[in-house]
Amino acid sequence: QVQVVESGGGLVQPGGSLRLSCAASGSIFRVLVMGWYRQSPGKQRELVATITSGGNTNYADSAKGRFTISRDYAKDTVYLHLTSLKAEDTAVYYCNVRGLGSKFESIDYWGQGTQVTVSS
């Protein structure tokens, strides 16, 4: 079994910053891609950013220039640094982990989500 645990959400004023963390643990052989997605009420879940085992990053247009994804490979942990936050960034942010399990099977797990609310 694989556990994916996020932390770091909260209430922040417009223009503020937050850092989200996500740690993967359990029956993992190798984590290949870690990413952040978000979902607002009434909307579909959307990509925010991903980072591969080789360090390649991919950002949604809405995240470019404001959000930074990074990874601690030794700890199977991914971070999302959110800056210049806007009201429209309000959402539940979910961490996704893809890779190989301990029996070399493909794994694709989601965290429980962490709420980010941008409001004055």
Side-chain angles (χ1 to χ4, degrees):
Q1 190 65 292
V2 175
Q3 294 77 43
V4 179
V5 179
E6 304 117 328
S7 62
L11 173 64
V12 63
Q13 292 186 342
S17 300
L18 277 177
R19 191 178 83 152
L20 308 181
S21 301
C22 168
S25 62
S27 302
I28 300 172
F29 172 71
R30 181 172 295 171
V31 174
L32 298 177
V33 182
M34 300 187 82
W36 289 95
Y37 294 73
R38 68 186 184 185
Q39 188 168 18
S40 304
K43 295 186 178 181
Q44 289 188 333
R45 190 172 298 188
E46 62 179 6
L47 167 74
V48 178
T50 59
I51 184 166
T52 69
S53 56
N56 294 317
T57 57
N58 180 47
Y59 292 92
D61 287 344
S62 59
K64 290 177 181 177
R66 298 189 301 127
F67 299 170
T68 302
I69 191 168
S70 60
R71 188 166 158 181
D72 184 331
Y73 294 89
K75 298 180 179 179
D76 283 337
T77 298
V78 65
Y79 305 96
L80 186 68
H81 189 205
L82 312 168
T83 65
S84 302
L85 282 162
K86 308 173 183 179
E88 50 263 44
D89 295 317
T90 295
V92 178
Y93 284 69
Y94 295 92
C95 178
N96 176 253
V97 176
R98 286 178 278 158
L100 297 175
S102 58
K103 299 180 180 179
F104 308 110
E105 76 281 17
S106 293
I107 59 173
D108 186 344
Y109 282 85
W110 293 88
Q112 79 286 354
T114 185
Q115 177 71 46
V116 172
T117 302
V118 184
S119 175
S120 55

